[in-house]
Amino acid sequence: MPVGTMEASQSAGLSPSGAVLKTMHDAAARLQMNQEVVELLSTPWREMHAQLPVRMDDRKLRIFEGYRVQHNGARGPYKGGVRFHPKADIDEVRALAMLMTYKCALLDLPFGGAKGGVMCDPTRMSQTELNRLTRTYTQHIGQVLGVARDIPAPDMGTNAQTMAWMMDAYGQRYGYTPGIVTGKPVELGGSFGRNQATGRGVATCLRELARHEGAKPQDLRIAVQGYGNVGSWTCRIAHEIGFRVVAVSDVKGGIMNAEGIDIAQLDHWFAVAGSVAGFEDATPITNEQLLETECDYLVPAALGEVITGENAGQVRARYVVEAANHPVTPEGDAILAERGIQVLPDILVNAGGVTVSYFEWTQNIQQFRWPLERVNSELDIRMVGVFSDVLARAGRDGTRPREAALDIALERVAKAIELRGFV
Ligand code: NAD
């Protein structure tokens, strides 16, 4: 069934983009939105599929599949990360592009939404292979990029080094253009604080949630799935704030300590072992058990669709704080709602990354670097403001935070579409 039809989002067992569409269609119905705007937002503006031939270190040719999806650009140039993952197929990338449109609008950033992906396993590739793949990908999608058109950033499986290669490959064809990507190394025009920005934004949401509940972080236990960029920085900054991190996991397994895990010690262990699994001062657990850990705030910060109709009944947290993109399926979400477990949505919780990407882009355009203190304080102001806007809107309308966040975002996107004269 084609994506973009209302039917697609009403059927059971939705694809990732079908699930995002369903949430959008529900919001559009709540807001009694213009049907033409809904139709326009139901499919991406542009989707690029590219064949990416790469000569591997063993001299064999491998052909990868790559994508760039530009969902909606009514509010500004397209913005969104690039994911290198074996499951990064077109539907997942499309779903993530849609989420970016709403995330940028919720944070009131002057961007539309996009996402890129290459179906590959970066953990099984050498740096030279990754370099070649990234350059080939950039050459293929370069024609739809631009500082005022589409600005990629890192996501799962990519990092500052990947962005440096992208910037270089783009620059070879179009001239030196640091603003073409964000999340670059600081030495190449990246922003101070970008690397930890998503985790910092997540930790800010945890802090604000505690404040909202009238609780002290010291009395609250958090469990975090994923110890990559987002998960590890969330743990470090939440630990600094005073939260007790009682469980952490990554692709190789998890650990639990009800007294709280010493994150500095865990970082030492991780640097040697390459995983949180096996850390001595804790009990081993599986990823499934992590999601069922008894805690106050459960923070999925790895893959999408990890809390589903199958396991949402076993979640033992009071809040799910969505650091990953789309970690809860609609079926899982309905069960959490029935059980009175609140969810803070991804487009709010993990928006710290794109917010500092915006700061990086403005710094590149102005050729003027901000000090770290300014980056962190402007990020804090925005995250606190949007957190409070979402809860206020939810209180006013009697909706859940996920609905309130999307309602705010969708109204802004719809307004821009109408003002531009797209409908
Ligand atoms: P990353 O590649 O740095 O880390 C991913 C983590 O997930 C790793 O610890 C990995 O071991 C773990 N993982 C992978 N497969 C797993 C599995 N099957 N079970 C449990 N853990 C598994 O990625 P990241 O940048 O930290 O992104 C994590 C999530 O946050 C993604 O959903 C991404 O879209 C989202 N996100 C990232 C950013 C950013 O700035 N990096 C911004 C917004 C949202």
Side-chain angles (χ1 to χ4, degrees):
M1 186 174 295
V3 165
T5 60
M6 296 297 266
E7 292 79 2
S9 67
Q10 282 160 3
S11 62
L14 296 167
S15 69
S17 74
V20 177
L21 266 184
K22 173 172 170 25
T23 331
M24 190 275 279
H25 287 151
D26 291 348
R30 224 173 15 251
L31 298 170
Q32 299 182 337
M33 260 173 62
N34 176 337
Q35 267 314 302
E36 289 181 348
V37 173
V38 177
E39 280 297 309
L40 216 132
L41 288 171
S42 295
T43 49
W45 164 250
R46 178 192 274 140
E47 292 189 353
M48 268 195 88
H49 296 230
Q51 183 197 56
L52 309 174
V54 176
R55 185 72 59 195
M56 305 302 275
D57 291 346
D58 63 6
R59 306 306 303 151
K60 289 197 180 123
L61 188 75
R62 265 190 71 187
I63 299 176
F64 295 90
E65 228 176 296
Y67 318 99
R68 185 71 183 169
V69 175
Q70 296 173 334
H71 173 242
N72 183 275
R75 289 177 43 86
Y78 299 98
K79 187 89 192 81
V82 175
R83 176 172 288 200
F84 283 3
H85 193 272
K87 290 192 181 146
D89 63 15
I90 185 68
D91 190 79
E92 181 183 69
V93 173
R94 187 183 289 137
L96 294 166
M98 290 175 176
L99 283 177
M100 283 306 295
T101 299
Y102 304 121
K103 191 183 300 179
C104 291
L106 178 64
L107 269 286
D108 208 7
L109 307 178
F111 292 131
K115 203 80 180 187
V118 178
M119 215 187 269
C120 66
D121 186 350
T123 62
R124 292 168 178 271
M125 293 172 69
S126 70
Q127 287 298 295
T128 50
E129 289 170 340
L130 286 170
N131 186 342
R132 284 198 287 273
L133 175 63
T134 305
R135 285 174 189 280
T136 308
Y137 175 65
T138 310
Q139 280 154 10
H140 280 69
I141 65 161
Q143 55 188 293
V144 299
L145 303 183
V147 178
R149 280 183 191 282
D150 185 349
I151 309 115
D155 190 68
M156 271 184 87
T158 58
N159 53 29
Q161 177 60 73
T162 324
M163 294 306 110
W165 292 328
M166 283 192 85
M167 176 186 126
D168 191 64
Y170 186 87
Q172 281 177 5
R173 181 168 294 186
Y174 300 98
Y176 175 66
T177 319
I180 190 61
V181 286
T182 57
K184 299 176 289 292
V186 171
E187 295 83 349
L188 294 179
S191 178
F192 290 121
R194 172 62 185 87
N195 194 32
Q196 58 265 47
T198 307
R200 182 172 292 284
V202 177
T204 306
C205 287
L206 296 170
R207 187 193 74 203
E208 290 306 297
L209 184 55
R211 200 197 311 268
H212 173 75
E213 293 203 286
K216 288 199 192 99
Q218 288 74 6
D219 299 331
L220 297 171
R221 299 152 303 163
I222 66 172
V224 180
Q225 183 185 51
Y227 205 69
N229 175 284
V230 179
S232 68
W233 280 108
T234 298
C235 287
R236 280 177 213 121
I237 300 169
H239 185 69
E240 256 169 48
I241 292 172
F243 287 100
R244 219 168 355 129
V245 183
V246 293
V248 187
S249 71
D250 61 32
V251 68
K252 295 186 182 153
I255 53 169
M256 205 209 122
N257 181 342
E259 299 304 311
I261 294 164
D262 183 328
I263 299 298
Q265 289 298 327
L266 179 62
D267 275 334
H268 283 303
W269 169 258
F270 191 92
V272 177
S275 169
V276 297
F279 180 60
E280 269 186 1
D281 193 20
T283 313
I285 54 168
T286 63
N287 261 297
E288 292 71 41
Q289 287 170 321
L290 182 126
L291 297 172
E292 297 166 13
T293 303
E294 193 179 339
C295 61
D296 296 287
Y297 304 158
L298 172 64
V299 186
L303 301 177
E305 307 203 326
V306 291
I307 300 176
T308 65
E310 301 291 307
N311 64 0
Q314 279 84 56
V315 169
R316 287 191 294 159
R318 292 188 299 109
Y319 278 85
V320 173
V321 178
E322 295 186 331
N325 279 314
H326 192 54
V328 181
T329 66
E331 297 80 16
D333 204 36
I335 296 171
L336 294 179
E338 255 168 44
R339 298 182 57 219
I341 298 172
Q342 303 263 18
V343 180
L344 286 191
D346 46 9
I347 61 170
L348 162 67
V349 175
N350 68 31
V354 69
T355 302
V356 175
S357 272
Y358 164 58
F359 299 160
E360 180 175 331
W361 180 72
T362 59
Q363 290 172 68
N364 291 151
I365 290 170
Q366 296 177 355
Q367 299 183 32
F368 183 80
R369 172 163 283 158
W370 297 3
L372 178 62
E373 297 68 33
R374 176 167 177 199
V375 172
N376 286 345
S377 101
E378 297 237 9
L379 173 62
D380 199 71
I381 291 166
R382 280 180 187 256
M383 292 299 301
V384 171
V386 177
F387 180 96
S388 124
D389 290 348
V390 168
L391 289 202
R393 176 76 179 240
R396 187 196 84 180
D397 295 351
T399 50
R400 301 171 66 212
R402 186 192 301 289
E403 295 163 344
L406 192 57
D407 289 355
I408 296 172
L410 203 51
E411 277 174 357
R412 287 185 182 153
V413 176
K415 187 75 189 167
I417 286 174
E418 283 166 7
L419 285 170
R420 285 237 187 164
F422 291 179
V423 293

